[in-house]
Amino acid sequence: MANTVKIPVPALNKEISVSTGLFINNEFVPSVDSSEVIQCFNPATEEIIASVVAGSSKDIDVAVAAARKAFKTSWGKNVTGWERSRLINKLADLIERDAQELAELETLNNGKPVAIARDFDIGDSIQCLRYYAGWADKVTGQTIEVDNKSKMAFTRHEPIGVCGQIIPWNYPINMWAWKVAPALAVGCTIVMKPSELTPLTALKLSELVVEAGFPPGVINTVPSLGSVGGAALSAHPDVDKIAFTGSTLTGRKIMEAAAKSNLKKVSLELGGKSPQLIFESADLQQAAAWSALGICYNTGQDCTAGSRIYVQDTVYDKFIDVLVSTVKETVIGNGFDQKTGGGPLVSKAQFDRVWGYIDAGKAEGAKVVLGGERRNTKGFFVDPTIFTDVSSDMKIVKEEIFGPVLSIGRFKTEEEAVALANNTTYGLGAGLHSTDASQCMRVSGLLEAGTVRDLSDVTASGSIRISSILFIGLGQFI
Ligand code: NAD
């Protein structure tokens, strides 16, 4: 099976065509040895919208061989940085041209609102591609002084080679762009494995790869189950690097497979349980607005979702009142409905997982102040749910839920706030709300997280914004 399907978009009275084969050497092809398919669902209706070829481990071998050949002959050190830049910019232009249709396809398969997919996910992806296109001809090494007049030392940055890229379902287009852009810019070739839940936009983007003019084999896309294609890529002896975004559990498996095979390089972007601290000086309306966004954006399916909030006890009750009324304004619904602020969860498995946590929160004695009720409708919809009176030993406080579920606790002193925030096995993100600039500086230095955000508004509060991590980077691929 390798052809094209036309997926109906009833809300818009149109169809979107998608190639359903494996994308290898700039062609959509069937599996070499398997008739397995991946069924793609619309999470808002629970209907199957397409079936795509499920790549086997032999298909991964074919894709890796294509990527290796391209690396040796038509990409890597065989093309100038300027030429790589031109092609990446061309790809960005084509994505911009097709942004609306790509967004509609993303909504069909992932559920997120069309306008958010277009303006944020795709808008950011275009910027990301253009940003790295700008770097392609500027990645240079250093000359190093040595203690001898007859010698000179220099370093040169070279592409790693064939990169396996394994991405999750929560931002399928973003994750694709964040992975391919820096790798292409420095001259790596790619075997991309999109999530089995959301492979459609990666296939649509592959059509644009051909149109942009990339040589065959530079970007290959193999939709596959994680335990099949993901595992085969991670263990492959001719893959030089794996760039992975997804769960901590899978990250551990990938690191192990890399170690047991050829000791390939690995970069892992994993989960989070990011704390947000609300100090008594904070503008509570603003803090509530940011906190609502922090848990409702992408329906909470976000690695840096602000899923644990700690509030200074002098403003605790007031903040919760403002937050509950703010969160209530977010409409969870079909992504094709313009009123929708958050779509359904991506799958039945994710839906059941999130409900498991809500049930656990109730059983462990946390108080529900918003949501927590099941809808009696089709679609994997979960309304924002807020728990208060939580304690640090509760499952909903310790574990990443990846849905619109918020836990709120209280603190008396700054020291206590920092201790509560840092009491986690994660360390991806954190945020604080305070109008005291020295407190912002002090606390952001104490929070043990890769990214710390002061989310108060500069002009309204006179406070500052601090941020310190780049999720992606050229350095991963050289
Ligand atoms: P997941 O780990 O289940 O899957 C991610 C990818 O890994 C998928 O493509 C999957 O097919 C593949 N995979 C699964 N098993 C594999 C195996 N044994 N070997 C190789 N690949 C395998 O994660 P998910 O459910 O798709 O995504 C949610 C998780 O991703 C959350 O934990 C979230 O925090 C994390 N995430 C992190 C970031 C970040 O930038 N840090 C961004 C988005 C999501």
Side-chain angles (χ1 to χ4, degrees), residues 396-451:
I396 54 168
V397 177
K398 290 196 294 195
E399 295 178 19
E400 183 184 44
I401 298 176
F402 228 56
V405 182
L406 187 54
S407 301
I408 307 184
R410 64 170 89 209
F411 65 87
K412 281 194 170 60
T413 64
E414 188 179 291
E415 292 70 28
E416 195 189 348
V418 171
L420 284 165
N422 288 343
N423 185 14
T424 177
T425 54
Y426 294 98
L428 193 61
L432 66 133
H433 301 260
S434 165
T435 52
D436 175 347
S438 51
Q439 182 171 53
C440 290
M441 288 299 289
R442 193 170 55 242
V443 174
S444 62
L446 295 170
L447 289 172
E448 292 161 4
T451 303

Side-chain angles (χ1 to χ4, degrees), residues 167 169-170 193 196 226 230 244-247 250 270-271 303 400 402:
I167 57 174
W169 43 261
N170 56 342
K193 198 212 78 63
E196 53 270 49
F244 170 75
T245 300
S247 63
T250 306
L270 308 176
C303 52
E400 183 184 44
F402 228 56

Side-chain angles (χ1 to χ4, degrees), residues 102-118:
L102 281 163
E104 290 160 5
L105 188 59
E106 195 79 308
T107 299
L108 279 173
N109 196 188
N110 167 284
K112 66 178 68 193
V114 178
I116 289 179
R118 185 192 57 229

Side-chain angles (χ1 to χ4, degrees), residues 99-100 102-107 110-126 170-174 292-293 296-302 330-344:
Q100 180 64 27
L102 281 163
E104 290 160 5
L105 188 59
E106 195 79 308
T107 299
N110 167 284
K112 66 178 68 193
V114 178
I116 289 179
R118 185 192 57 229
D119 299 341
F120 292 93
D121 295 34
I122 297 173
D124 179 271
S125 300
I126 294 164
N170 56 342
Y171 295 99
I173 294 179
N174 258 151
L293 189 70
C296 295
Y297 193 72
N298 219 33
T299 323
Q301 302 167 117
D302 187 294
T330 301
V331 178
I332 300 289
N334 190 309
F336 286 99
D337 184 338
Q338 288 190 0
K339 290 195 301 294
T340 297

Side-chain angles (χ1 to χ4, degrees), residues 299-341:
T299 323
Q301 302 167 117
D302 187 294
C303 52
T304 56
S307 53
R308 287 188 294 146
I309 293 185
Y310 297 103
V311 191
Q312 197 147 22
D313 59 0
T314 45
V315 292
Y316 183 83
D317 293 330
K318 191 163 173 215
F319 174 76
I320 287 171
D321 284 349
V322 186
L323 179 67
V324 167
S325 54
T326 310
V327 170
K328 272 184 184 164
E329 288 166 16
T330 301
V331 178
I332 300 289
N334 190 309
F336 286 99
D337 184 338
Q338 288 190 0
K339 290 195 301 294
T340 297

Side-chain angles (χ1 to χ4, degrees), residues 18 21 35 42 89 177 215 274 342 359 366 473:
V18 185
S35 54
N42 178 342
N89 270 319
S274 303
D359 292 340

